[in-house]
Structure formats: structure tokens, C-alpha cells
Amino acid sequence: MTRKQRRLILIGSSLGVLAIAVGLVLSSLRDSIVFFNSPTDIADNKAAPGKRVRLGGMVKMGSLERGDNLQIRFEVTDGNKDIPVSYRGIVPDLFREGQGVVAEGHVEPGGTFAADTVLAKHDENYMPREIVDTLKKQGHWQETAAPVKQSAR
């Protein structure tokens, strides 16, 4: 075997191992990727029942109901459609009506979103880009954040 042939075999086998590693990483990530959906997307059946998704929008005013054993029911709206959400657990301190929320879970066959994680935005300046874009399209987004002033050093 010549030096050139050994080098080609080494390069070829290295590329083969790299391709297998990339394939394994991508196949494992495919199961853990969760896609964002607005209430309009879910109402239009873009999220299949049972498939894990993220639902984002605003907690609809007057929809929050607290039950026994940490059971909470509320509706998430994007100004166009409302999706009922059921969650069992402790919600963040900032969770309340009229605030932005991201719920992670799945859509049940009846159309209710069964959340296993609920996240509330932490201040007025943060909201996921997809939610902001959806609210801007619906005309419900208001720019309330003042520009940050930089201090002179």
C-alpha cells in the first residue's frame, strides 16, 4: 500500500465516522425539538393532537380559574383566537391575566392544551420574537419599553 492510498483511506474513514456522528446527533435532537405555535396556529390545526408544542400569547383577562390540587385553567390569546389551557402545578410569580405566557405541552383531541410547563415573561422588555410578531400582526402589540440610556465612562 502506498502512502497516498493510506492517506485516502484515513481521510475516507474519518469522514465516515464524522457522518455517523452527525447523523446520531441530529436523530437525537429531532425528538427534543419543540416548535412554537400561536393560538391561531393551534386553532387552525397546525399542531397535531398529542404532538409536543409550545403555545405562546397573552393570558386572556377573566379566564383564570384556580381549582383543587394546584389545578389551573386559563385561556391564551393572540388577539385573534383563544385556546383553553389546563395546567397542574405551581405557576411563576409573574403569571397573571393580561401578561405574556409560554406554555409547553400538547393539544388534546378536544382542543384543550394540556400544559406541563408554564413560563411567564419576566419584565416588560422580554417576549419571544414569535409572540411579538403575532401580536404585531393582530395589532395588539404596544411598544412600552423606553430605550436604554448608555452611561458615559
Side-chain angles (χ1 to χ4, degrees):
M1 211 187 264
T2 66
R3 191 177 210 183
K4 187 175 183 180
Q5 289 174 333
R6 280 186 282 177
R7 191 178 309 146
L8 286 175
I9 290 172
L10 179 65
I11 290 172
S13 61
S14 297
L15 288 175
V17 169
L18 181 64
I20 290 171
V22 168
L24 289 173
V25 167
L26 291 177
S27 69
S28 67
L29 285 177
R30 180 180 54 196
D31 295 334
S32 64
I33 293 175
V34 180
F35 294 102
F36 170 83
N37 288 290
S38 69
T40 301
D41 293 339
I42 291 178
D44 293 341
N45 295 323
K46 290 185 181 175
K51 184 178 179 185
R52 189 163 179 80
V53 293
R54 279 191 184 127
L55 169 66
M58 306 294 275
V59 179
K60 186 175 179 181
M61 297 298 289
S63 68
L64 183 61
E65 299 173 8
R66 296 183 187 268
D68 295 337
N69 297 326
L70 301 175
Q71 186 68 32
I72 298 172
R73 295 186 183 277
F74 58 95
E75 292 185 21
V76 176
T77 184
D78 62 359
N80 190 21
K81 302 275 179 142
D82 303 334
I83 296 293
V85 177
S86 66
Y87 175 69
R88 183 183 175 109
I90 299 172
V91 292
D93 290 339
L94 295 176
F95 178 83
R96 61 183 173 271
E97 294 176 343
Q99 288 291 107
V101 67
V102 175
E104 193 171 313
H106 65 276
V107 180
E108 294 180 337
T112 300
F113 188 83
D116 53 32
T117 305
V118 173
L119 306 170
K121 67 178 191 168
H122 66 277
D123 68 10
E124 298 301 320
N125 298 324
Y126 171 76
M127 187 175 289
R129 181 179 311 233
E130 294 90 352
I131 297 173
V132 172
D133 292 342
T134 302
L135 291 174
K136 282 182 180 179
K137 286 179 188 175
Q138 301 298 325
H140 294 284
W141 178 254
Q142 298 173 357
E143 298 289 337
T144 58
V148 177
K149 295 181 181 178
Q150 304 229 351
S151 60
R153 292 185 191 187

